[in-house]
């Protein structure tokens, strides 16, 4: 028994040390610095007051979470049908593998490269504007770069695979006999979907939504490149404080505010999901 316990402790020790060294220690350093006032050298809430009592910072926070919210919603609306197509519609194994490869390969490309690609596509003389004008949908070029719409396009493109893979896994593991039983009892396909299939796929949908939201709210590269300097999100402000201004105390307060707000919203979403699931 003691040998099993020691073996379990050894297996747990390495992940715990990794978590301690690369998450808890850096987080504690950021948290500590956020409460320090560089002018006095003592503890202070001045950095948090600067963030939370200023309208500019609230505008940046609202912009950050608005973009993350709409990115998540669009990814869910596009990702669920695509997952359904790959799992339930596609019959050819080679075509399914090809679709998954096409979906996953962009994840191995740097966000910088993908964002620069979208800058070219969404520019005033880019492929998107040329196509819109060719189809007579617009008379003048649409300004995508420097708008929240352009950022949303880039973010959805980058984060959509996470929803597709999460929902696809949930659909693939689902017990199809439950759907067959529902149909045998006379339920219509729509009723079977909304009462059997969709509820059983909600865990995958929720995990995909959490991943997309967390990545979208903390994204820096894509908003920085596609914003054109006209839209500011909180990660851009944090990066500026750490890399340009070198105000680590103020940057730490911004980082903790972003972390607390993100975890709070995810916690609220989880609670709502449990309550509805219980009902």
């Amino acid at each position: 028994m003691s040998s099993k316990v020691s073996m379990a402790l050894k297996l747990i020790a390495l992940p715990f040390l990794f978590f301690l060294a690369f998450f808890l220690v850096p987080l504690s350093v950021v948290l500590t610095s956020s409460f320090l006032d560089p002018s006095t050298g003592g503890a202070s809430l001045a950095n948090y007051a600067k963030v939370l009592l200023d309208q500019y910072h609230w505008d940046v926070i609202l912009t950050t979470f608005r973009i993350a919210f709409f990115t998540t919603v669009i990814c869910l609306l596009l990702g669920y049908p695509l997952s359904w197509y790959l799992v339930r519609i596609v019959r050819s194994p080679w075509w399914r593998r090809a679709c998954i490869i096409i979906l996953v390969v962009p994840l191995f490309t740097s966000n910088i490269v993908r964002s620069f690609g979208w800058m070219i596509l969404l520019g005033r003389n880019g492929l998107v504007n040329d196509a819109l004008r060719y189809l007579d949908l617009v008379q003048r070029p649409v300004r995508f770069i420097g708008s929240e719409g352009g950022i949303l396009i880039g973010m959805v493109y980058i984060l959509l695979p996470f929803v597709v893979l999460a929902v696809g896994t949930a659909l693939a593991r689902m017990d199809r006999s439950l759907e067959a039983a529902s149909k045998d009892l006379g339920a219509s396909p729509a009723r079977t979907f909304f009462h059997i299939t969709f509820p059983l796929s909600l865990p995958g949908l929720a995990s995909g939504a959490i991943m997309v939201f967390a990545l979208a709210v903390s994204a820096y590269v894509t908003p920085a490149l596609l914003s054109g300097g006209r839209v500011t999100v909180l990660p851009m402000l944090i990066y500026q404080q750490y890399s340009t201004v070198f105000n680590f105390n103020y940057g730490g307060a911004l980082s903790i505010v972003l972390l607390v707000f993100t975890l709070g919203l995810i916690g609220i979403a989880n609670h709502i999901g449990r309550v509805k699931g219980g009902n």
Side-chain angles (χ1 to χ4, degrees):
M1 185 67 180
S2 60
S3 61
K4 292 182 179 180
V5 172
S6 61
M7 181 63 69
L9 291 175
K10 290 179 181 178
L11 293 174
I12 296 174
L14 186 59
F16 176 76
L17 291 175
F18 182 87
F19 180 75
L20 178 66
F22 294 100
F23 181 77
L24 291 182
V25 172
L27 181 61
S28 63
V29 171
V30 172
L31 181 62
T32 302
S33 66
S34 68
F35 285 102
L36 294 179
D37 188 350
S39 60
T40 62
S44 173
L45 294 175
N47 296 310
Y48 288 97
K50 184 179 180 180
V51 175
L52 299 176
L53 299 180
D54 183 69
Q55 184 60 42
Y56 168 75
H57 292 94
W58 278 109
D59 292 339
V60 172
I61 292 171
L62 292 176
T63 300
T64 303
F65 284 94
R66 181 171 61 249
I67 292 174
F69 173 77
F70 284 113
T71 299
T72 305
V73 171
I74 296 172
C75 284
L76 293 178
L77 293 176
L78 296 177
Y80 199 98
L82 184 55
S83 302
W84 183 273
Y85 170 78
L86 292 176
V87 176
R88 296 296 180 87
I89 305 300
V90 175
R91 299 301 180 198
S92 174
W94 70 267
W95 176 241
R96 182 182 291 113
R97 293 193 196 99
C99 291
I100 293 175
I101 290 173
I102 294 172
L103 185 70
V104 172
V105 162
L107 294 177
F108 296 95
T109 307
S110 170
N111 283 347
I112 297 177
V113 175
R114 287 182 284 179
S115 298
F116 271 118
W118 278 111
M119 289 178 66
I120 296 173
L121 291 174
L122 298 176
R124 291 181 60 86
N125 297 316
L127 181 61
V128 175
N129 269 312
D130 287 345
L132 292 175
R133 282 180 290 180
Y134 177 79
L135 296 173
D136 288 330
L137 296 177
V138 297
Q139 299 299 322
R140 62 183 65 182
V142 179
R143 183 170 65 85
F144 291 107
I145 305 300
S147 67
E148 292 186 18
I151 298 175
L152 278 175
I153 293 173
M155 296 287 285
V156 169
Y157 168 75
I158 291 172
L159 299 177
L160 181 61
F162 293 98
V163 172
V164 176
L165 295 175
V167 176
T169 302
L171 291 174
R173 293 179 178 177
M174 192 177 300
D175 188 357
R176 301 290 293 274
S177 63
L178 297 174
E179 295 173 316
S182 175
K183 294 177 182 178
D184 291 340
L185 293 173
S188 64
R191 191 174 181 84
T192 298
F193 174 79
F194 286 109
H195 288 81
I196 303 296
T197 307
F198 186 73
L200 291 177
S201 64
L202 278 179
L205 197 67
S207 61
I210 290 173
M211 284 190 292
V212 169
F213 182 81
L215 292 171
V217 82
S218 60
Y220 165 76
V221 173
T222 302
L225 293 178
L226 296 181
S227 67
R230 295 185 176 91
V231 180
T232 302
V233 294
L234 205 51
M236 294 169 58
L237 202 58
I238 294 170
Y239 179 82
Q240 181 187 54
Q241 296 302 315
Y242 273 100
S243 65
T244 306
V245 184
F246 300 108
N247 191 341
F248 303 117
N249 308 105
Y250 176 45
L254 289 170
S255 302
I256 297 300
V257 168
L258 177 61
L259 177 63
V260 171
F261 278 19
T262 303
L263 293 179
L265 289 175
I266 292 176
I268 292 172
N270 284 334
H271 177 71
I272 294 174
R274 290 195 190 98
V275 171
K276 290 187 176 180
N279 293 337

